[in-house]
Every structure is written in structure tokens, then in C-alpha cells.
Amino acid sequence: MLTSREIRRQFLDFFEQKQHRIVESAPVVAHGDPTLMFINAGMNQFKDVFLGTGTRDYSRAVDTQKCIRVSGKHNDLEEVGYDTYHHTFFEMLGNWSFGDYYKREAIDWSWELLTGVWKLDPERIHATVYRTDDEAYDMWKDHLPESRIHRFDEKDNFWEMGATGPCGPCSELHYDRTPDKNGASLVNADDPRVIEIWNLVFMQYNRLENGDLQSLSTTHVDTGMGFERITAVLQGVNSNYDTDVFQPIISRIAKLSGKSYSSETNDEASVAMRVMADHVRTLAFAIADGAIPGNTGQGYVLRRVLRRASRYARNIGFTTPVLCDLVAILVESMGDVFPEIAEQQHTIERIVKAEEESFLLTLENGLKRIEEMIEAEGQISGANAFLLYDTFGFPFDLTALIARERGIEVDEEGFNEHMQAQKERSRSAQKDQLPGTNRNLHASRTPRNSDSAYRGTGDG
Ligand code: GLY
């Protein structure tokens, strides 16, 4: 069986042999792109090349890119733990052409790698194309019967990195895990039996702020393959969490908690272990690349992720910091590929531990209070969601998650009104503290979680 390490290497080698330059992953924290908080795709670091505002001294590239999808256009947070193939942090294997090759090579080489090198059963592969892309459709006919080539519309087959930026029609490869290879109707149906493994984007446009599409001066190729997904496929397991990418972390959590893990069920312990294993990767890689949990922007996204993981850890009996103890095992399995996590292991552990300790001070009481609210009102009002946020440090999405698990409503609009009122209070308190006046030293306190990005939006 191929290890994940070998799979990553073989992808890079395959394209290197086709004259691609192997490049480093960009830091996962999006430094310098105001449209993004975190890198959400391999192409982000090449955005300037696509837009024609930057150049490279190569026209073909290949890499594995660290990605985080927890906010903005690409947000997989809610699925994590409950399904087997979405992650907040993942690696995206990608190959690029900058004004060099286009659809023909992108399609043929993807086929060659999957079926020639990795020997995947061709009968399990489906291709999708953008509904009007006859050219890609016809190219796929060289490899696949028409019963396994499918047309989809913008939602599935027109890829955009965010509200603005490079974009274009795409062609995806899906892998059919059904026993009788009969999964055509499950393509793009959010069903784990047929999953997307690779997206070939044919970059042609720039989406402008007014929504218009502007043609790029030349065409490019941008592909993204889910590393953890292809690893699951090649290792013959149905869940990404059963691969050697996640198993070391899951085994450690199982050992520390004394609970057993089941890949087949969504019992409380198994969901918690998946969430913790996923979220610790996001925390470690983001912190290694310069983000710190905090009250705004990227920092608040990390805080939400950590508090969500803490609450799941609490579900399986951890009442003291535990995420910090998982960093070492992650470093052991990935520290040679991404040396930044090894170099900063102790910093990551320290920051994660301090964050866990501070949340654990209020978590228990917050959970008790939420139970009282549910018992008293059968729902969570906006005022109560705000109280949980302001007094117990519960990010709104954590409250919403608990509400969803209990099958009750939480008033998001009411919560937002309270947030807005708090922001106004804190703005006017600041105004009253103009230098030299000193008249409002005892003005209303700035609430603990005062924060302009409390929902962590704004990412691409
Ligand atoms: N840029 C290709 C993808 O993210 O799927």
C-alpha cells in the first residue's frame, strides 16, 4: 500500500517529469491579499500571474498547498467530523500552466496519473464538465464512455476563488466507490460513495467587483486535488480519517480518552475525535505561519476553531487542555514535509495550551447555562446567544452547533443586533476617551469579546 508520503511525492514527480517546476506551498495565512484570510486553494499564490500583473521564471508549476477553508466562499467547517471527506485544513496537490498548455494536456495527464501511474480502475472514474464546455466533453470521450461524462452548471463546474479574482469553467474527476460501480447518479450529490478527487480549472476570466467577467489576456490551467481524499482512495479506505494522514492523531486521542474510535458511525466519541484531529491541524499550521488566536479577523477564526474543538474534547471527557498534546504527533508525521511546524512546535503548543486553558475556565459554566436556557425557553434567544458569547466566550457558531444538535432554534438576527449595539457602545466609549480628556476612565467596560469579525467572514 502506498503511504501518503509516497503519494505526495509521486504527484510532484509525475509533473516534474512533464517539465513542471516544483514550488513550495505558500504560507496558509494569506499575507497581502485583502480578499482572503487564509489560503483556500493552490492557485492563490499565482493569482497575480493569472491576472497578468506578475510573472514567474517558469510556465509550469506543481506543488502541495496548505489550505484552510473555514470562512467566506469556501467554508467546510460544518461538515467536519460528521462526514469523512471535508476538512478545515487540507493539502491541495496542484499543477499549473501559465499561458502554456491548456485543456488537452490537463485532461490527458490527469487520466495518465490516475489510471496509468496509480492504476485506479477506469470504470470508477467520472468526469464532469461545465454545461457549455463541448471541447472538454469531447476530450473526455477519448478516455471515458459518455455515460460517465456529466455536464453541470455554475454551482459545480465554474470555479471562482472568491467574490472577485481569476475564475473559469472547470472539469472535475469523481471516484465511484459503490460496490457495483453504478454511482453515476451520485456525482455531485454530497454522497461519500462518489467523491470529487480532482478539479481541473480552465482559467479564462477575472470576476470584477461589479460581478462582470473580464477575459484574461491568455488562458491558464489551475488544478486542485484533495490530497487526503486521493490518499483514502489509493489506500482503499472509505474515510479520509482512516488514512495514515489522520490515524496517528486519532489513535493518540483514543488512547488519551480511553474511548474507541469507529470509522463507520457518527457516535459522540468518533465525531469528537475527527473534529479534534482535523482542528488541531488547522491550529498548528496557521500558528506556524503567523496567525494567533484573538478577537478579530484570522485570529477569531482560529479562536472559533479551537473553542469548537475544546467543546468536542469536553464531550469525551477532557476537562484539561488536550489539543496542545496532539501537536507532537502531528509534527512527527508531517514535520519533515512542512518543517515550519517542527521548528515552531513549542510555540504552537504554548499558544494552543493557553487558549484552551482560558476557554476551559468558562466552558463548563457556559454549557450549564445553555442547558438552563434550553430547559427554560426551548430555544436560544438573541440576548442569550450574546450572553454566551460575551460572558462565556462562546462563538456564535458554537452556540448554533449545540442548538442544532439539540434540534432547537437560535436567534441569529437578535444576536447580531446585540453585537451591533455592543460595537456602538464601545465606539462611543473610545470617542469619550480622546487624549487629554480623561473624563471617562470608568466608562462602560469593553466587553471581553469585542470584535468586528465575530463571524469570521471576509474570506474568499
Ligand atoms: N483551484 C481549484 C480548486 O480549488 O478546486
Side-chain angles (χ1 to χ4, degrees), residues 369-371 373-374 377-386 388 396 398-400 402-404 406 408-412 415:
R369 186 58 83 85
I370 224 173
E371 289 309 319
M373 289 168 184
I374 294 172
E377 296 176 15
Q379 54 145 4
I380 300 171
S381 65
N384 276 337
F386 182 73
L388 288 163
F396 179 80
L398 177 56
T399 301
I402 296 172
R404 206 171 45 246
R406 307 294 299 272
I408 60 160
E409 298 286 316
V410 49
D411 176 7
E412 182 166 8
F415 170 81

Side-chain angles (χ1 to χ4, degrees), residues 81 260-263 265-275 316:
S260 51
Y261 176 73
S262 152
S263 43
T265 62
N266 276 349
D267 61 281
E268 191 175 51
S270 302
V271 170
M273 289 185 209
R274 282 180 218 128
V275 171
I316 52 172

Side-chain angles (χ1 to χ4, degrees), residues 43-56 166:
M43 55 72 66
N44 294 169
Q45 68 164 311
F46 303 116
K47 185 176 167 183
D48 60 327
V49 186
F50 294 136
L51 295 180
T53 57
T55 54
R56 299 291 185 275

Side-chain angles (χ1 to χ4, degrees), residues 228-261:
E228 297 76 7
R229 291 185 187 184
I230 191 67
T231 300
V233 167
L234 290 170
Q235 294 186 349
V237 292
N238 285 332
S239 163
N240 293 3
Y241 294 96
D242 288 344
T243 64
D244 63 347
V245 178
F246 285 98
Q247 269 307 304
I249 314 176
I250 299 235
S251 304
R252 177 67 59 93
I253 303 170
K255 191 162 173 218
L256 291 172
S257 65
K259 306 223 183 277
S260 51
Y261 176 73

